[in-house]
PDB file of all heavy atoms in Angstrom:
ATOM      1  N   THR A   4      -3.098 -81.468  64.053  1.00  0.00           N
ATOM      2  CA  THR A   4      -3.818 -82.799  63.710  1.00  0.00           C
ATOM      3  C   THR A   4      -4.022 -83.631  64.926  1.00  0.00           C
ATOM      4  O   THR A   4      -4.404 -84.737  64.831  1.00  0.00           O
ATOM      5  CB  THR A   4      -2.925 -83.563  62.673  1.00  0.00           C
ATOM      6  OG1 THR A   4      -1.598 -83.789  63.173  1.00  0.00           O
ATOM      7  CG2 THR A   4      -2.903 -82.830  61.376  1.00  0.00           C
ATOM      8  N   ALA A   7      -7.304 -84.890  69.984  1.00  0.00           N
ATOM      9  CA  ALA A   7      -8.025 -84.160  71.128  1.00  0.00           C
ATOM     10  C   ALA A   7      -8.393 -82.765  70.627  1.00  0.00           C
ATOM     11  O   ALA A   7      -9.538 -82.241  70.902  1.00  0.00           O
ATOM     12  CB  ALA A   7      -7.159 -84.070  72.322  1.00  0.00           C
ATOM     13  N   LEU A  18     -21.653 -77.021  68.824  1.00  0.00           N
ATOM     14  CA  LEU A  18     -22.339 -76.180  69.781  1.00  0.00           C
ATOM     15  C   LEU A  18     -22.730 -74.816  69.085  1.00  0.00           C
ATOM     16  O   LEU A  18     -23.877 -74.407  69.241  1.00  0.00           O
ATOM     17  CB  LEU A  18     -21.437 -75.853  70.987  1.00  0.00           C
ATOM     18  CG  LEU A  18     -21.984 -74.956  72.022  1.00  0.00           C
ATOM     19  CD1 LEU A  18     -23.205 -75.611  72.631  1.00  0.00           C
ATOM     20  CD2 LEU A  18     -20.904 -74.825  73.160  1.00  0.00           C
ATOM     21  N   HIS A  22     -26.555 -73.424  68.593  1.00  0.00           N
ATOM     22  CA  HIS A  22     -26.944 -72.116  69.074  1.00  0.00           C
ATOM     23  C   HIS A  22     -27.542 -71.315  67.862  1.00  0.00           C
ATOM     24  O   HIS A  22     -28.545 -70.731  68.085  1.00  0.00           O
ATOM     25  CB  HIS A  22     -25.797 -71.460  69.696  1.00  0.00           C
ATOM     26  CG  HIS A  22     -26.134 -70.130  70.092  1.00  0.00           C
ATOM     27  ND1 HIS A  22     -25.905 -68.995  69.352  1.00  0.00           N
ATOM     28  CD2 HIS A  22     -26.601 -69.632  71.269  1.00  0.00           C
ATOM     29  CE1 HIS A  22     -26.279 -67.870  69.889  1.00  0.00           C
ATOM     30  NE2 HIS A  22     -26.698 -68.205  71.082  1.00  0.00           N
ATOM     31  N   GLY A  23     -26.784 -71.337  66.805  1.00  0.00           N
ATOM     32  CA  GLY A  23     -27.268 -70.506  65.658  1.00  0.00           C
ATOM     33  C   GLY A  23     -28.622 -70.957  65.114  1.00  0.00           C
ATOM     34  O   GLY A  23     -29.536 -70.186  64.833  1.00  0.00           O
ATOM     35  N   GLU A  26     -31.422 -69.955  67.815  1.00  0.00           N
ATOM     36  CA  GLU A  26     -31.572 -68.422  67.844  1.00  0.00           C
ATOM     37  C   GLU A  26     -32.353 -67.990  66.455  1.00  0.00           C
ATOM     38  O   GLU A  26     -33.243 -67.207  66.571  1.00  0.00           O
ATOM     39  CB  GLU A  26     -30.286 -67.727  67.930  1.00  0.00           C
ATOM     40  CG  GLU A  26     -30.419 -66.233  68.111  1.00  0.00           C
ATOM     41  CD  GLU A  26     -29.146 -65.510  68.499  1.00  0.00           C
ATOM     42  OE1 GLU A  26     -28.228 -65.569  67.730  1.00  0.00           O
ATOM     43  OE2 GLU A  26     -29.118 -64.988  69.649  1.00  0.00           O
ATOM     44  N   ALA A  32     -39.843 -66.780  64.739  1.00  0.00           N
ATOM     45  CA  ALA A  32     -41.168 -66.901  65.475  1.00  0.00           C
ATOM     46  C   ALA A  32     -41.507 -65.582  66.130  1.00  0.00           C
ATOM     47  O   ALA A  32     -42.672 -65.175  66.114  1.00  0.00           O
ATOM     48  CB  ALA A  32     -41.082 -68.086  66.457  1.00  0.00           C
ATOM     49  N   SER A  51     -37.923 -58.103  83.550  1.00  0.00           N
ATOM     50  CA  SER A  51     -39.191 -58.455  84.238  1.00  0.00           C
ATOM     51  C   SER A  51     -38.979 -59.184  85.530  1.00  0.00           C
ATOM     52  O   SER A  51     -39.873 -59.259  86.339  1.00  0.00           O
ATOM     53  CB  SER A  51     -40.156 -59.107  83.270  1.00  0.00           C
ATOM     54  OG  SER A  51     -39.645 -60.470  83.173  1.00  0.00           O
ATOM     55  N   GLY A  56     -36.040 -53.873  96.645  1.00  0.00           N
ATOM     56  CA  GLY A  56     -35.348 -54.386  97.755  1.00  0.00           C
ATOM     57  C   GLY A  56     -33.874 -54.667  97.401  1.00  0.00           C
ATOM     58  O   GLY A  56     -33.412 -54.360  96.182  1.00  0.00           O
ATOM     59  N   GLY A  58     -30.570 -55.718  96.073  1.00  0.00           N
ATOM     60  CA  GLY A  58     -30.212 -56.542  94.929  1.00  0.00           C
ATOM     61  C   GLY A  58     -31.248 -56.851  93.886  1.00  0.00           C
ATOM     62  O   GLY A  58     -31.148 -57.665  92.958  1.00  0.00           O
ATOM     63  N   VAL A  66     -27.295 -56.460  83.313  1.00  0.00           N
ATOM     64  CA  VAL A  66     -28.291 -56.630  82.269  1.00  0.00           C
ATOM     65  C   VAL A  66     -27.482 -57.047  81.051  1.00  0.00           C
ATOM     66  O   VAL A  66     -27.841 -58.001  80.320  1.00  0.00           O
ATOM     67  CB  VAL A  66     -29.080 -55.348  82.004  1.00  0.00           C
ATOM     68  CG1 VAL A  66     -30.060 -55.585  80.827  1.00  0.00           C
ATOM     69  CG2 VAL A  66     -29.910 -55.082  83.254  1.00  0.00           C
ATOM     70  N   THR A  82     -32.856 -48.176  74.938  1.00  0.00           N
ATOM     71  CA  THR A  82     -33.367 -46.942  74.423  1.00  0.00           C
ATOM     72  C   THR A  82     -34.412 -47.276  73.352  1.00  0.00           C
ATOM     73  O   THR A  82     -35.511 -46.620  73.316  1.00  0.00           O
ATOM     74  CB  THR A  82     -32.220 -46.078  73.794  1.00  0.00           C
ATOM     75  OG1 THR A  82     -31.392 -45.768  74.876  1.00  0.00           O
ATOM     76  CG2 THR A  82     -32.846 -44.771  73.202  1.00  0.00           C
ATOM     77  N   ASP A  86     -38.289 -46.241  73.656  1.00  0.00           N
ATOM     78  CA  ASP A  86     -39.012 -45.475  72.633  1.00  0.00           C
ATOM     79  C   ASP A  86     -40.262 -46.097  72.163  1.00  0.00           C
ATOM     80  O   ASP A  86     -41.211 -45.427  71.811  1.00  0.00           O
ATOM     81  CB  ASP A  86     -38.061 -45.254  71.426  1.00  0.00           C
ATOM     82  CG  ASP A  86     -36.922 -44.309  71.733  1.00  0.00           C
ATOM     83  OD1 ASP A  86     -37.005 -43.577  72.762  1.00  0.00           O
ATOM     84  OD2 ASP A  86     -35.975 -44.215  70.910  1.00  0.00           O
ATOM     85  N   ARG A  99     -29.341 -40.704  93.555  1.00  0.00           N
ATOM     86  CA  ARG A  99     -29.699 -39.965  92.366  1.00  0.00           C
ATOM     87  C   ARG A  99     -28.869 -40.201  91.198  1.00  0.00           C
ATOM     88  O   ARG A  99     -29.206 -39.850  90.088  1.00  0.00           O
ATOM     89  CB  ARG A  99     -29.825 -38.493  92.729  1.00  0.00           C
ATOM     90  CG  ARG A  99     -30.704 -38.120  93.910  1.00  0.00           C
ATOM     91  CD  ARG A  99     -32.147 -38.527  93.743  1.00  0.00           C
ATOM     92  NE  ARG A  99     -32.731 -37.584  92.910  1.00  0.00           N
ATOM     93  CZ  ARG A  99     -34.008 -37.621  92.525  1.00  0.00           C
ATOM     94  NH1 ARG A  99     -34.756 -38.741  92.908  1.00  0.00           N
ATOM     95  NH2 ARG A  99     -34.651 -36.741  91.788  1.00  0.00           N
ATOM     96  N   ARG A 100     -27.636 -40.857  91.345  1.00  0.00           N
ATOM     97  CA  ARG A 100     -26.751 -41.142  90.256  1.00  0.00           C
ATOM     98  C   ARG A 100     -27.272 -42.411  89.559  1.00  0.00           C
ATOM     99  O   ARG A 100     -26.944 -42.610  88.367  1.00  0.00           O
ATOM    100  CB  ARG A 100     -25.358 -41.331  90.652  1.00  0.00           C
ATOM    101  CG  ARG A 100     -24.788 -40.073  91.264  1.00  0.00           C
ATOM    102  CD  ARG A 100     -23.432 -40.394  91.906  1.00  0.00           C
ATOM    103  NE  ARG A 100     -23.699 -41.348  93.019  1.00  0.00           N
ATOM    104  CZ  ARG A 100     -22.795 -41.945  93.721  1.00  0.00           C
ATOM    105  NH1 ARG A 100     -21.543 -41.755  93.465  1.00  0.00           N
ATOM    106  NH2 ARG A 100     -23.080 -42.737  94.734  1.00  0.00           N
ATOM    107  N   GLY A 101     -27.966 -43.255  90.219  1.00  0.00           N
ATOM    108  CA  GLY A 101     -28.457 -44.563  89.650  1.00  0.00           C
ATOM    109  C   GLY A 101     -29.673 -44.408  88.799  1.00  0.00           C
ATOM    110  O   GLY A 101     -30.604 -43.637  89.239  1.00  0.00           O
ATOM    111  N   ILE A 102     -29.779 -45.060  87.794  1.00  0.00           N
ATOM    112  CA  ILE A 102     -30.945 -45.112  86.948  1.00  0.00           C
ATOM    113  C   ILE A 102     -31.479 -46.531  86.820  1.00  0.00           C
ATOM    114  O   ILE A 102     -30.667 -47.399  86.443  1.00  0.00           O
ATOM    115  CB  ILE A 102     -30.666 -44.549  85.495  1.00  0.00           C
ATOM    116  CG1 ILE A 102     -30.176 -43.085  85.628  1.00  0.00           C
ATOM    117  CG2 ILE A 102     -31.911 -44.615  84.619  1.00  0.00           C
ATOM    118  CD1 ILE A 102     -29.778 -42.415  84.317  1.00  0.00           C
ATOM    119  N   ASP A 109     -47.214 -52.211  79.014  1.00  0.00           N
ATOM    120  CA  ASP A 109     -47.308 -52.738  77.711  1.00  0.00           C
ATOM    121  C   ASP A 109     -46.202 -53.742  77.414  1.00  0.00           C
ATOM    122  O   ASP A 109     -46.454 -54.692  76.704  1.00  0.00           O
ATOM    123  CB  ASP A 109     -47.058 -51.491  76.669  1.00  0.00           C
ATOM    124  CG  ASP A 109     -48.315 -50.596  76.635  1.00  0.00           C
ATOM    125  OD1 ASP A 109     -49.394 -51.066  77.046  1.00  0.00           O
ATOM    126  OD2 ASP A 109     -48.204 -49.520  76.015  1.00  0.00           O
ATOM    127  N   ASP A 122     -41.097 -70.219  73.898  1.00  0.00           N
ATOM    128  CA  ASP A 122     -41.035 -71.550  74.359  1.00  0.00           C
ATOM    129  C   ASP A 122     -41.315 -72.664  73.276  1.00  0.00           C
ATOM    130  O   ASP A 122     -40.542 -73.685  73.194  1.00  0.00           O
ATOM    131  CB  ASP A 122     -41.922 -71.784  75.610  1.00  0.00           C
ATOM    132  CG  ASP A 122     -41.502 -70.899  76.816  1.00  0.00           C
ATOM    133  OD1 ASP A 122     -40.490 -70.353  76.785  1.00  0.00           O
ATOM    134  OD2 ASP A 122     -42.341 -70.791  77.705  1.00  0.00           O
ATOM    135  N   ALA A 131     -35.902 -80.568  66.274  1.00  0.00           N
ATOM    136  CA  ALA A 131     -35.309 -80.781  64.982  1.00  0.00           C
ATOM    137  C   ALA A 131     -33.689 -81.051  65.134  1.00  0.00           C
ATOM    138  O   ALA A 131     -33.334 -82.011  64.364  1.00  0.00           O
ATOM    139  CB  ALA A 131     -35.447 -79.450  64.160  1.00  0.00           C
ATOM    140  N   ASP A 137     -25.005 -85.560  65.061  1.00  0.00           N
ATOM    141  CA  ASP A 137     -24.066 -84.716  65.611  1.00  0.00           C
ATOM    142  C   ASP A 137     -24.526 -83.742  66.664  1.00  0.00           C
ATOM    143  O   ASP A 137     -23.698 -83.276  67.451  1.00  0.00           O
ATOM    144  CB  ASP A 137     -23.340 -83.931  64.517  1.00  0.00           C
ATOM    145  CG  ASP A 137     -22.536 -84.736  63.535  1.00  0.00           C
ATOM    146  OD1 ASP A 137     -22.223 -85.855  63.851  1.00  0.00           O
ATOM    147  OD2 ASP A 137     -22.172 -84.269  62.440  1.00  0.00           O
ATOM    148  N   LEU A 138     -25.745 -83.431  66.659  1.00  0.00           N
ATOM    149  CA  LEU A 138     -26.331 -82.431  67.605  1.00  0.00           C
ATOM    150  C   LEU A 138     -27.034 -83.115  68.758  1.00  0.00           C
ATOM    151  O   LEU A 138     -27.250 -82.457  69.847  1.00  0.00           O
ATOM    152  CB  LEU A 138     -27.214 -81.444  66.831  1.00  0.00           C
ATOM    153  CG  LEU A 138     -26.579 -80.659  65.805  1.00  0.00           C
ATOM    154  CD1 LEU A 138     -27.543 -79.663  65.137  1.00  0.00           C
ATOM    155  CD2 LEU A 138     -25.367 -79.810  66.309  1.00  0.00           C
ATOM    156  N   VAL A 145     -28.688 -79.898  76.835  1.00  0.00           N
ATOM    157  CA  VAL A 145     -29.524 -78.662  77.026  1.00  0.00           C
ATOM    158  C   VAL A 145     -30.849 -79.051  77.791  1.00  0.00           C
ATOM    159  O   VAL A 145     -31.326 -78.325  78.749  1.00  0.00           O
ATOM    160  CB  VAL A 145     -29.869 -78.035  75.709  1.00  0.00           C
ATOM    161  CG1 VAL A 145     -30.973 -76.962  75.833  1.00  0.00           C
ATOM    162  CG2 VAL A 145     -28.567 -77.416  75.121  1.00  0.00           C
ATOM    163  N   VAL A 152     -21.553 -75.467  88.454  1.00  0.00           N
ATOM    164  CA  VAL A 152     -20.147 -75.163  88.107  1.00  0.00           C
ATOM    165  C   VAL A 152     -19.185 -76.003  88.982  1.00  0.00           C
ATOM    166  O   VAL A 152     -19.392 -76.206  90.155  1.00  0.00           O
ATOM    167  CB  VAL A 152     -19.884 -73.673  88.466  1.00  0.00           C
ATOM    168  CG1 VAL A 152     -18.445 -73.327  88.131  1.00  0.00           C
ATOM    169  CG2 VAL A 152     -20.809 -72.796  87.590  1.00  0.00           C
TER     170      VAL A 152
END
Side-chain angles (χ1 to χ4, degrees):
T4 57
L18 181 60
H22 176 270
E26 188 170 62
S51 74
V66 174
T82 299
D86 290 346
R99 303 299 280 176
R100 296 169 297 171
I102 298 175
D109 286 346
D122 295 347
D137 290 346
L138 299 179
V145 169
V152 176

